[in-house]
Structure formats: structure tokens, C-alpha cells
């Protein structure tokens, strides 16, 4: 059976930590491939300004080009309406029965706000990567609580050295600070060419 990881996100922009997390998940969980899923309209982020979907998709495509076992899907971008995780997983479950949905620690702490969470757990295992700034005991307790409440399966994946966020990158670009050490070169080229993140 094909073991498939799905890493979703706004990817605004995709950065080296996203790539590193996907590589670590693929290796540690013995995944056959990881699918990057740029978000369409996220229900919990409708108040935030997001870069045009086609540009975010292009940045992801360029960032993972040539990397074995990495793919990108435009499913959520092309789908009309808001992007709900359970709908995305239903779509991929038709083809892959062994799904691992890769999220950050912040998502685990907010998981009670997600729609159809029990259905989500029936379709996949959650892979939660830890980040600096999050209390490990709090994450372990939340994992146990969520697994019992929703009959789910959560894997905590320790990924050391993750200090990058897309928000931080956008702020650095606005302030003309160095970002070439935290972005794939091809992504930085697109950002410069399109003049992205130059305004608040």
C-alpha cells in the first residue's frame, strides 16, 4: 500500500523549513511520496490577505522541482469555495488509503475549530511537527486529549531547528532584509520578478 503524506498550507511563500519538514516526514515515516497542497480559501484565514493562488502554486512547483518523491497538487486552488481538510482528504482517499496529514503544532492546538474532525481522523493519521516556542508537555497532553475525544491517531514528529515562518519572511522583504538563506533561490527569483511582499 502506498504511504502518502500531504502537507498543506498557504505557502505564502514556501520556504526551506517547509521542504525540510517534508523531507523529515518522508524519511522518518517511510512515506512513498509527499504531496504539497497550497490552500485555496481557508475558512480560518478569510480575514487575511493572501497572494494570488497561481503565484503560490508556481512557487511551490519551482521549490520542489527535481526532488524525488515530492509532488504538488492544485486540488484546493481549483476547487470552488472554501478549502475544508475533510473534503481534501476524501478526494485523496479515493486513490490512497494510507494517508498522513502533516501539520504544525499550532494547528493541533486549534484543532477543535476544524470541521468534521472525526471524519478527518477516519481518513488519515495526523503528523504534528514540533516547533520552537511550543511546550512539549502541552502538545503531548493535547495529543492524548484529541486522540481520545475523536478516536484519532496523532504522530508527534520532532523536527529540530525550525525557526522560519512565512510571516517573518514577508516582514523581512518589506524591510529589505536578507532572506536568501531561508528561501529556495527559485522562489526568491519569483518574488523579485513579481515584486511580491513589498507592501503591507
Amino acid at each position: 500500500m502506498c504511504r502518502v503524506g500531504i502537507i498543506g498550507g498557504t505557502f505564502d511563500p514556501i520556504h526551506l523549513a517547509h521542504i525540510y519538514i517534508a523531507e523529515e516526514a518522508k524519511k522518518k515515516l517511510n512515506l512513498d511520496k509527499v504531496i504539497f497542497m497550497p490552500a485555496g480559501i481557508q475558512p480560518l484565514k478569510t480575514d487575511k490577505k493572501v497572494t494570488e493562488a497561481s503565484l503560490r502554486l508556481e512557487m511551490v512547483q519551482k521549490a520542489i522541482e527535481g526532488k524525488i518523491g515530492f509532488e504538488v497538487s492544485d486540488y484546493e486552488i481549483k476547487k470552488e469555495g472554501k478549502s475544508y481538510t475533510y473534503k481534501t482528504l476524501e478526494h485523496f482517499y479515493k486513490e490512497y488509503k494510507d494517508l498522513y496529514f502533516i501539520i504544525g503544532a499550532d494547528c493541533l492546538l486549534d484543532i477543535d475549530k476544524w470541521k468534521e474532525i472525526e471524519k478527518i481522523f477516519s481518513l488519515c493519521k495526523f503528523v504534528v511537527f514540533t516547533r520552537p516556542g511550543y511546550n512539549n508537555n502541552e502538545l503531548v497532553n493535547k495529543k492524548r486529549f484529541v486522540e481520545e475525544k475523536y478516536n484519532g491517531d496523532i504522530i508527534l514528529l520532532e523536527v529540530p531547528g525550525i525557526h522560519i515562518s512565512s510571516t517573518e519572511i514577508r516582514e523581512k522583504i518589506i524591510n529589505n532584509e536578507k532572506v536568501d538563506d531561508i528561501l529556495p533561490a527559485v522562489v526568491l527569483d519569483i518574488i523579485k520578478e513579481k515584486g511580491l511582499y513589498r507592501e503591507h
Side-chain angles (χ1 to χ4, degrees), residues 13-133:
I14 186 170
H15 50 67
L16 292 178
H18 291 131
I19 307 291
Y20 178 52
I21 289 160
E23 286 172 342
E24 286 293 293
K26 185 174 183 292
K27 180 174 64 179
K28 290 182 176 177
L29 301 174
N30 196 29
L31 303 177
D32 294 291
K33 65 180 174 181
V34 175
I35 299 171
F36 286 73
M37 176 72 59
I41 302 169
Q42 290 182 298
L44 300 179
K45 292 188 177 180
T46 52
D47 59 332
K48 294 187 178 181
K49 183 183 176 184
V50 177
T51 301
E52 186 182 326
S54 61
L55 289 174
R56 292 185 288 111
L57 179 65
E58 183 184 356
M59 286 190 280
V60 175
Q61 287 170 330
K62 292 292 186 184
I64 67 170
E65 202 167 59
K67 293 188 180 295
I68 295 170
F70 282 6
E71 296 179 6
V72 61
S73 171
D74 60 2
Y75 170 74
E76 286 196 356
I77 285 174
K78 283 191 169 178
K79 188 177 71 65
E80 292 183 359
K82 293 177 180 176
S83 299
Y84 289 105
T85 298
Y86 81 95
K87 289 282 190 186
T88 297
L89 289 167
E90 282 179 336
H91 170 77
F92 282 96
Y93 194 77
K94 292 171 189 172
E95 186 173 357
Y96 307 111
K97 303 302 182 191
D98 198 7
L99 292 173
Y100 296 77
F101 194 71
I102 304 164
I103 62 171
D106 50 338
C107 293
L108 175 60
L109 297 178
D110 282 343
I111 208 161
D112 294 297
K113 297 177 183 175
W114 291 29
K115 198 175 178 72
E116 299 282 0
I117 188 66
E118 287 183 350
K119 180 171 282 188
I120 289 172
F121 277 119
S122 74
L123 297 167
C124 74
K125 295 179 179 70
F126 264 87
V127 180
V128 179
F129 60 88
T130 59
R131 275 177 168 170

